Amino acid sequence: MNKFGRFINPIERLGMKKYSIIFPLLVNLAVVALSEFFAYNVVKNPDVVGVYIIFINVALIMYFSFRDGIRGGFIASAVSLLYYFYIIYTRHYGGSQLTSVIQTTLMLGALYFFLASIIGWLKQTIDTLIDSEADERRRLQAIVQQLPVGVLVADKNGKILQANKQVETLLGRKMRESLISGKDTVSNTLENKSVNLTQWPINHTLSTGKPVVGKNYTIERDDKKKVYLQISATPIHNKEGKVIAAASIINDITAQREMEDRKDDFVNMASHELKTPITSMKLYIDSLINRIKQTKDEKALKTLTSIKYQTERLQELVSDLLDVSRLQTGKLSFNKEKFQIDELIEETIEGLQGSTTQHAIKFSKKSPVTVFADKFRVYQVLTNLITNAIKYSPDASEINVAVKKDGQKAIVSVKDSGIGIDKDQQRKIFDRLYQVTDSKEKTFPGLGMGLYISKEIIKRHKGTIWTESIKGKGSTFFFSLPSLKK
Amino acid sequence: MSNKILVVDDDQSILEAISLILEEEEYIVQTTTKGEEVYTKLHTFKPDLILLDVLMSGKDGREICKKIKSDEKTKSIPIIMISAHPSAEKSIKECGAEDFLAKPFETKDLLQKISQFIS
């Protein structure tokens, strides 16, 4: 529609809150002038024109109230009425019947103004509605454009309804161009990208109606830059609950991923750098212990044994720190295998019994229980729980370990009669770097990483870890692992 | 005749410490920090066993292992790989090494593993 069309077609002007006074006034005056010219100069009988002019005026009033609202309709009505007054007064009744003239005009006037009000009000209401909707859309648009994430909305045929600048930045220039052309669908847009399109969240949501939460993708953009994206999609329903469109959020996690990679590299390097000197220290100490043993110098042997013990503590700390670090980046790997957990418990106890002369670590073995887990990591959990039991029961003489089968699970328990744990601390002890403090303000050595590592290891085996404890009476720690039928 | 062991690691202190321990057990030990030297040592020293670090700066120990294992003349020499990464075990099995030892290891574990292959 050209400019002239947009100016005179009232439908085109819906939503446009521009109500003119001059235009209706000029058109109406022009029609009056034309009518007068026609009456006197063309038909040369002014009396016959009056009837037709009523139709023309009603049409004009309707037109202008629809084009310029109540204001336009009132102007058209006023001009018409003045004209009628003039016609009736001068041509039909004459000066002697002024009252009748006014009455007739007023009756018509009431009708005209009523008509103009109704149509004008309707027009203005529609305008306000359209306008507020447009405002709403603009507001939403402003928000969407400013979001740090990419927002993509597509209808059920995959046609893109809306996409913000970030989508274009994230996916590259081609996407932007195809968006401007307005013909593109979600599938086409992502052609030549290393993404399986049927798996693309927005497509998945459109076809299944189910939301997709935070899936990770690596794509290569037009500029060959590799980007890591985290994409979610949610369906948009109509009133009847049918999926009509889907909205997708695209989050650039490249920086985060690169940071994680760097952290991982650092942990690996630190791991190597810290473990190497500890390894040679231990070898030197062992060599020295062998020599000292031959000299029978008891004092030197005792000192060296202490050095060895402290080196081992340092080694454990380093290894715990690295485990915590790996757990946080999700880089701790598990080599799961089938094994009998009762045998592992026996081996672990055998190794740990030597570290305490005060406690007897007892294991009541019943039937063999097979689990599918990472043997070394389960050994780590067992060692941690038993070492804790020793550490936190300084006055006790016994620690009891047991394993039982409970449906599809193997449940291991480690029971001590030590200091126990307050109810409000029982959940917190599995948090990272949390440590139990005794009311007697006795402190226990350690960094508080053991139970956190244990919890994470068990969690990654789809098992659970928990404690039952009474302050002052002792604690029992349990963990479960998925068990296998033999 | 004593058994000969070649130890390869990029850290001098590890080499010294391992040599000390092994020599006490009356093994004949030679060490090197350079990956390229391994092949010459194979011919000049003729080791009965090789202790090989996985991540040597410069050359990946796994590559050296693969090369030794792909040569008919040297593939019968047992190789025990050493690494600070417990997760490296999987990739080590793939390159043909006989055994794996994670750093830091116990002296007795080292000696026990060696005695499995040579007596």
Side-chain angles (χ1 to χ4, degrees):
Chain A
M1 181 90 45
N2 56 26
K3 213 174 167 185
F4 177 69
R6 269 201 300 280
F7 185 72
I8 60 158
N9 186 349
I11 306 280
E12 287 288 316
R13 294 178 72 86
L14 280 176
M16 220 186 270
K17 276 189 161 175
K18 278 187 199 153
Y19 307 130
S20 172
I21 297 175
I22 309 293
F23 184 60
L25 188 66
L26 286 178
V27 171
N28 277 285
L29 288 176
V31 168
V32 168
L34 211 67
S35 154
E36 282 301 280
F37 174 80
F38 192 72
Y40 286 100
N41 297 309
V42 183
V43 293
K44 294 192 186 347
N45 182 5
D47 291 350
V48 296
V49 179
V51 187
Y52 302 107
I53 199 70
I54 288 180
F55 288 105
I56 296 170
N57 280 138
V58 170
L60 282 175
I61 289 164
M62 281 164 67
Y63 171 74
F64 281 108
S65 47
F66 197 51
R67 185 188 180 276
D68 294 296
I70 296 173
R71 189 189 286 174
F74 275 28
I75 286 167
S77 305
V79 172
S80 306
L81 290 173
L82 285 173
Y83 185 44
Y84 292 165
F85 184 81
Y86 161 75
I87 291 178
I88 302 167
Y89 186 70
T90 53
R91 297 181 201 158
H92 296 275
Y93 295 100
S96 58
Q97 289 166 301
L98 186 63
T99 326
S100 309
V101 177
I102 293 172
Q103 274 176 351
T104 316
T105 318
L106 279 179
M107 262 151 63
L108 264 175
L111 200 71
Y112 283 5
F113 281 115
F114 180 67
L115 188 72
S117 303
I118 294 281
I119 299 176
W121 172 77
L122 204 68
K123 146 83 175 165
Q124 279 168 239
T125 309
I126 293 171
D127 284 348
T128 312
L129 268 175
I130 292 176
D131 203 45
S132 68
E133 198 157 299
D135 278 351
E136 185 73 33
R137 217 171 27 239
R138 273 192 293 274
R139 228 177 359 247
L140 201 66
Q141 191 70 32
I143 295 169
V144 165
Q145 286 298 345
Q146 284 194 58
L147 284 174
V149 295
V151 177
L152 187 70
V153 183
D155 70 10
K156 61 181 191 300
N157 301 318
K159 189 181 178 301
I160 290 164
L161 301 176
Q162 195 178 22
N164 64 358
K165 280 200 295 286
Q166 283 74 353
V167 170
E168 299 156 17
T169 325
L170 292 178
L171 299 175
R173 192 169 41 81
K174 262 189 209 155
M175 166 87 172
R176 188 193 152 84
E177 280 161 12
S178 49
L179 275 173
I180 291 167
S181 75
K183 287 179 207 139
D184 228 72
T185 65
V186 177
S187 311
N188 293 342
T189 302
L190 294 158
E191 234 169 29
N192 307 324
K193 301 240 151 69
S194 53
V195 173
N196 186 346
L197 291 177
T198 51
Q199 300 299 313
W200 184 250
I202 200 161
N203 284 344
H204 182 83
T205 298
L206 284 171
S207 59
T208 62
K210 290 194 181 97
V212 176
V213 182
K215 279 191 89 173
N216 289 341
Y217 291 89
T218 313
I219 69 165
E220 197 186 79
R221 270 188 341 212
D222 311 341
D223 56 6
K224 301 278 175 246
K225 193 180 181 301
K226 209 174 175 192
V227 284
Y228 296 98
L229 303 177
Q230 191 172 59
I231 307 177
S232 302
T234 185
I236 300 170
H237 299 103
N238 67 3
K239 246 192 276 176
E240 283 78 41
K242 232 180 99 196
V243 176
I244 47 162
S248 187
I249 301 287
I250 303 165
N251 198 358
D252 186 357
I253 52 165
T254 311
Q256 194 186 330
R257 276 291 294 270
E258 282 170 355
M259 182 84 104
E260 275 172 23
D261 286 350
R262 269 204 297 280
K263 189 181 167 193
D264 202 44
D265 285 348
F266 173 76
V267 168
N268 275 333
M269 203 189 68
S271 158
H272 190 260
E273 293 306 308
L274 289 169
K275 282 177 176 177
T276 302
I278 293 176
T279 307
S280 43
M281 263 164 75
K282 283 177 70 182
L283 291 169
Y284 283 129
I285 293 167
D286 278 341
S287 161
L288 210 52
I289 285 177
N290 281 341
R291 278 157 200 253
I292 296 290
K293 269 180 184 163
Q294 285 155 19
T295 65
K296 305 215 185 324
D297 181 346
E298 288 300 324
K299 217 172 172 184
L301 190 63
K302 212 180 153 211
T303 314
L304 265 176
T305 314
S306 299
I307 295 177
K308 190 180 176 180
Y309 174 66
Q310 296 304 328
T311 313
E312 270 158 11
R313 271 187 62 192
L314 184 64
Q315 175 190 336
E316 276 160 26
L317 280 176
V318 166
S319 143
D320 278 359
L321 272 172
L322 295 171
D323 281 350
V324 168
S325 224
R326 290 212 179 95
L327 279 168
Q328 279 178 294
T329 47
K331 292 284 157 66
L332 196 71
S333 54
F334 293 99
N335 301 315
K336 292 186 188 175
E337 59 182 317
K338 252 165 100 170
F339 67 91
Q340 269 176 248
I341 195 160
D342 43 300
E343 283 176 7
L344 181 69
I345 293 172
E346 280 181 332
E347 282 168 32
T348 313
I349 292 176
E350 212 175 295
L352 288 173
Q353 185 62 73
S355 68
T356 172
T357 46
Q358 184 193 334
H359 304 81
I361 309 169
K362 291 184 175 167
F363 176 46
S364 45
K365 190 180 169 166
K366 284 172 192 147
S367 52
V369 182
T370 312
V371 293
F372 184 69
D374 185 313
K375 202 169 173 178
F376 171 71
R377 296 295 171 191
V378 176
Y379 163 77
Q380 221 180 328
V381 175
L382 280 167
T383 306
N384 179 251
L385 294 184
I386 297 172
T387 320
N388 276 350
I390 296 172
K391 190 163 109 182
Y392 291 104
S393 60
D395 305 319
S397 61
E398 207 174 89
I399 286 153
N400 287 293
V401 187
V403 61
K404 64 169 181 184
K405 236 186 129 166
D406 181 34
Q408 302 284 18
K409 286 181 291 186
I411 298 176
V412 177
S413 59
V414 177
K415 185 173 182 292
D416 69 57
S417 30
I419 61 164
I421 308 155
D422 260 342
K423 258 230 134 59
D424 57 327
Q425 288 192 319
Q426 284 181 14
R427 229 161 1 116
K428 288 190 222 157
I429 52 170
F430 294 103
D431 291 348
R432 190 155 60 98
L433 309 183
Y434 187 84
Q435 263 202 306
V436 174
T437 44
D438 196 9
S439 51
K440 290 173 223 152
E441 300 207 348
K442 183 177 188 297
T443 53
F444 292 89
L447 282 180
M449 293 184 291
L451 282 178
Y452 168 72
I453 295 171
S454 298
K455 180 190 77 179
E456 292 298 320
I457 289 172
I458 296 299
K459 206 164 88 182
R460 278 160 172 77
H461 281 89
K462 295 192 168 62
T464 41
I465 188 166
W466 72 98
T467 181
E468 284 167 15
S469 180
I470 301 165
K471 185 85 186 159
K473 289 265 171 73
S475 318
T476 309
F477 280 83
F478 299 88
F479 69 87
S480 68
L481 286 173
S483 173
L484 292 175
K485 283 181 196 129
K486 267 223 66 176
Chain B
M1 196 189 101
S2 298
N3 283 305
K4 293 186 281 187
I5 298 174
L6 175 63
V7 190
V8 193
D9 198 309
D10 55 354
D11 189 285
Q12 195 62 42
S13 78
I14 290 279
L15 293 181
E16 278 171 25
I18 292 180
S19 308
L20 195 65
I21 289 287
L22 294 183
E23 276 160 7
E24 270 169 24
E25 297 295 318
E26 295 180 345
Y27 289 111
I28 298 166
V29 184
Q30 280 203 14
T31 62
T32 176
T33 53
K34 296 188 190 71
E36 311 84 69
E37 259 184 43
V38 175
Y39 309 112
T40 23
K41 294 252 185 213
L42 283 179
H43 300 292
T44 54
F45 179 55
K46 295 193 198 311
D48 298 303
L49 186 135
I50 303 169
L51 287 176
L52 185 58
D53 189 55
V54 174
L55 288 165
M56 293 194 357
S57 33
K59 200 152 190 183
D60 190 327
R62 279 168 288 207
E63 289 306 308
I64 299 173
C65 178
K66 265 186 206 161
K67 204 168 164 187
I68 294 171
K69 288 295 173 189
S70 61
D71 188 334
E72 279 298 321
K73 275 180 250 164
T74 55
K75 77 173 191 188
S76 59
I77 306 172
I79 296 176
I80 299 174
M81 299 211 71
I82 305 168
S83 170
H85 306 273
S87 56
E89 189 168 354
K90 220 174 176 180
S91 67
I92 283 153
K93 292 269 161 69
E94 281 159 18
C95 69
E98 269 73 14
D99 215 331
F100 169 73
L101 208 52
K103 275 185 202 170
F105 46 79
E106 301 295 323
T107 308
K108 64 173 169 44
D109 290 342
L110 172 72
L111 295 176
Q112 188 243 327
K113 288 219 183 223
I114 291 173
S115 64
Q116 269 180 7
F117 299 103
I118 49 177
S119 48

